[in-house]
Amino acid sequence: MVTMDSITLIAESLKRQGIEYVFGIVGIPIVELSMAMQAAGLKYIGMRNEQSACYAAQAIGYLTQKPGVCLVVPGPGLLHCTGGMANAQINCWPLIVIAGSTFQDHEGIGGFQEYPQVDAARIYCKYAVRPPTVASIPTHIEKAVRLATYGRPGVSYLDFPGNVLRATVSNDAIFDEYTHPKPPLCYPDAESVQKAVELLKNAKRPLVIVGKGAAYARAEEPIRQLIQQTNLPVLATPMGKGVVPDTCDQSVASARTLALQKADVILLLGARLNWILHFGRAPRYAADVKVIQVDVCPEELHNSIQSAVAIQSDILPFANQLLNKIGYYSFGKNSDWWKILKQKCDINRRTVGEMALSISVPLNYYSVFHHVHEIIPKDAIIVSEGANTMDIGRSMLHNILPRHRLDAGTFGTMGVGPGFAIAAALYCRDYFPKKRVICVEGDSAFGFSGMEVETMYRYKLPIVIIIVNNGGIYSGLDADTYKDIRSEGDLTQITPPSALTVETRYDEMLRMFGHAGYFVKTIPELRQSLADALKITDRPTIINVIIGPTSDRKQQTFNWLTESKL
């Protein structure tokens, strides 16, 4: 009788379903499984924290449309992973999480790291299961991958007790395994597409909003053609940036507030009317705005407000059909709407430009990002997190290509940066070797996952990390105030909750590997250090940029989060 051990069966089943990357941290009982994965040809990346491993696995899923695997130990290992699972599920990114669990004969009597893992994982997943037999493992792996990618992407969880991982099975007993077809495309209703065309053609103040769903759907070609042909004003959500280049003539990102508030018809492509888009409600929008909502998930339609036209469809076939039906229509570049938008764009650009051109010390966010943008490759993948660092960087660091910006996303999760950057760097290494990854971090955000720098070094990933360091969460203290506070009394009572250590030398972390980072206080130092860092192709670099502790974004008409009326 020919047999197969379960870890080989798991690894080969994953390989057959198209899985390429595994991120994780090994320990009992998954050590041998990680080795079996490598033997099967999977690429295993050992991380320093399960949460970062989970962030990396989901980012590679977004970039490739194939789920990454996060492999973790039982109990605490899985629990550390749940923040990443929630982020992937809410962000709609494909992810497979595999965890070992306590031996079944130890359950209920205090087994090592015993925890009700399937139940705990279920609320973060589309699919969570412990395969009931070794022979059924291929069936459940196929289903886990299929459910993670079909429809609205999300998370699948597979649980393997220690005794199952040590088991073998007769080859004759293994259930027949198949590889599912690519996810089917959902096509729009033709009548609804025609209604959308009529609304857009009759609009006085139209606006197109492009979300990361359009980026994931690879719908950039017809959407770009649509915007160029129709001359419709366009905005992108944070990770929808680059589907239409930020630099295109139709982008009204510099007049975002006005565009949202005054538009009478909005075409919403793969974006949700959640907090990022202020729920689609007044006062951020006109009370009578008509929304054409296109989403692959029918449950998302009419969410928060009732849409004038709600279309269940993948973005790619919808964009193609809309482009075909709208014909030679073009929204006049001399219309009142375009005049108002361009005037507002010019005003806001001048305001930002004054701050961006300042070279006075301490530096501000705008001056830092202006010079970073001038030097980094235009096709770089930009990873960003932090409060003002991410928000201001979003407007200053342009994307001309889709899926080239990864940030805190719908869940607003901090700590994602290094994991996302590792995934992006591996993606570039394997698919676009000359492309660079720029990881722009606030100093607070970097603290969540900063030890992943060692992971970057171990795998020779040339990630340029730029830490915008204001010595605080939102804001910090100047050196004199910080020094005075530390000499006055109980630090737990008098240190502001938002304060971090002044001018922390994050750049010195590279001394662990025998290299120096860059400590930057002036624009010439920033430009030179960034130019030098981009020449390094076999390891990460850190540029620690000190800015004013109270540096802030320009005054906003509305808070980023629309205030609750309750």
Side-chain angles (χ1 to χ4, degrees), residues 26 56 80 361 491 498 563:
V26 297
H80 291 168
V361 176
L491 294 177
S498 65
E563 295 297 324

Side-chain angles (χ1 to χ4, degrees), residues 46-82:
M47 304 285 285
R48 297 302 299 262
N49 180 283
E50 288 95 351
Q51 214 165 8
S52 292
C54 201
Y55 295 144
Q58 65 194 258
I60 207 74
Y62 172 68
L63 292 169
T64 65
Q65 289 186 312
K66 296 184 293 185
V69 169
C70 180
L71 178 65
V72 296
V73 299
L78 177 64
L79 288 172
H80 291 168
C81 195
T82 53

Side-chain angles (χ1 to χ4, degrees), residues 221-232:
E221 185 175 336
I223 292 176
R224 289 181 177 204
Q225 189 175 343
L226 175 72
I227 296 302
Q228 291 169 2
Q229 179 176 312
T230 62
N231 196 43
L232 291 169

Side-chain angles (χ1 to χ4, degrees), residues 66-258:
K66 296 184 293 185
V69 169
C70 180
L71 178 65
V72 296
V73 299
L78 177 64
L79 288 172
H80 291 168
C81 195
T82 53
M85 294 168 72
N87 189 71
Q89 185 72 0
I90 292 172
N91 237 16
C92 309
W93 286 2
L95 168 69
I96 307 293
V97 175
I98 295 176
S101 56
T102 195
F103 288 71
Q104 287 172 299
D105 59 331
H106 293 171
E107 289 181 340
I109 56 173
F112 177 64
Q113 296 184 327
E114 180 181 355
Y115 196 73
Q117 295 179 187
V118 176
D119 290 339
R122 188 166 282 122
I123 62 172
Y124 308 109
C125 296
K126 294 177 70 176
Y127 183 62
V129 68
R130 171 185 287 181
T133 64
V134 175
S136 69
I137 285 173
T139 297
H140 290 284
I141 287 178
E142 183 280 326
K143 186 172 183 179
V145 176
R146 175 163 42 89
L147 267 62
T149 52
Y150 275 36
R152 173 173 280 181
V155 185
S156 292
Y157 172 68
L158 296 166
D159 189 85
F160 292 104
N163 56 291
V164 172
L165 292 174
R166 291 185 178 182
T168 59
V169 64
S170 167
N171 284 11
D172 293 339
I174 297 172
F175 296 163
D176 288 340
E177 185 180 6
Y178 57 90
T179 303
H180 55 262
K182 290 183 178 180
L185 287 178
C186 177
Y187 281 75
D189 169 64
E191 184 178 342
S192 296
V193 176
Q194 186 58 44
K195 288 180 180 178
V197 168
E198 291 168 4
L199 267 182
L200 287 170
K201 284 185 174 180
N202 291 320
K204 301 296 183 184
R205 299 179 302 280
L207 179 66
V208 179
I209 300 177
V210 179
K212 71 173 176 285
Y216 183 82
R218 274 51 177 180
E220 55 267 16
E221 185 175 336
I223 292 176
R224 289 181 177 204
Q225 189 175 343
L226 175 72
I227 296 302
Q228 291 169 2
Q229 179 176 312
T230 62
N231 196 43
L232 291 169
V234 64
L235 282 175
T237 64
M239 279 187 278
K241 283 163 60 69
V243 171
V244 177
D246 289 340
T247 53
C248 77
D249 292 339
Q250 292 79 17
S251 173
V252 291
S254 297
R256 182 182 191 274
T257 296
L258 176 67

